[in-house]
Amino acid sequence: MSDFHGPTLEDLQGAWICIRFGDDGLKAPFYISWFRKPRIEFEGYCYRVFDGETCLERGRFDIRRGVEYSLLDQLIEFGEHYGREHRGIIRWVGDRLEHLQGHAGLARPTGFPYGKGSKCHYSLLSRATEVKADRISPSSKKWKG
């Protein structure tokens, strides 16, 4: 059995919905992802980042599998940070992916967990087929107005 447990290139392929995200030690309220519908799509060694139907960023990436997590570096070919690189780490949390990403052009995060004092971007990703980002199921509770 392999000692390496980080995600692989094959694991990343397809669409992933961002169900939680944050920046510099803070997390956005959980309902923000319902409205914005952020997602990332991996195809081969290429990636695209969407906010709803708008492509915010695209480029190429490299992944190197590690014991606890994998290194994920993204070369930005389109978007606000064109020509720069995001250096990150990514790991499995159950069947979801937790991704810490250094700010464009800055150092890679040194490890998990994400929290107060973290100087990076955070996202928790779920397979697109698992989460219906375009619908929020109504509560089963009855309104007693």
Side-chain angles (χ1 to χ4, degrees), residues 86-135:
H86 284 302
R87 297 175 192 267
I89 56 178
I90 192 165
R91 71 175 177 176
W92 288 111
V93 178
D95 58 352
R96 295 177 173 164
L97 293 172
E98 186 174 41
H99 183 204
L100 299 183
Q101 181 183 67
H103 294 283
L106 298 179
R108 175 189 324 281
T110 57
F112 291 95
Y114 174 78
K116 272 189 172 176
S118 296
K119 296 294 180 194
C120 61
H121 303 294
Y122 163 82
S123 59
L124 182 63
L125 306 168
S126 183
R127 273 266 176 228
T129 55
E130 179 185 326
V131 175
K132 303 285 189 247
D134 57 341
R135 290 183 31 192

Side-chain angles (χ1 to χ4, degrees), residues 28-91:
F30 69 93
Y31 55 83
I32 299 294
S33 60
W34 293 350
F35 298 114
R36 294 188 52 192
K37 301 177 182 72
R39 73 181 188 282
I40 186 166
E41 296 176 356
F42 294 98
E43 185 177 339
Y45 285 97
C46 297
Y47 76 94
R48 294 180 299 183
V49 177
F50 292 89
D51 187 358
E53 294 305 313
T54 304
C55 183
L56 300 177
E57 184 177 292
R58 73 173 176 257
R60 291 175 285 138
F61 73 94
D62 181 45
I63 186 165
R64 292 178 301 290
R65 193 172 195 198
V67 176
E68 295 179 33
Y69 53 81
S70 296
L71 305 180
L72 181 67
D73 297 334
Q74 298 165 268
L75 175 61
I76 306 162
E77 297 176 334
F78 168 83
E80 179 182 358
H81 300 292
Y82 169 80
R84 297 174 84 186
E85 192 173 303
H86 284 302
R87 297 175 192 267
I89 56 178
I90 192 165
R91 71 175 177 176

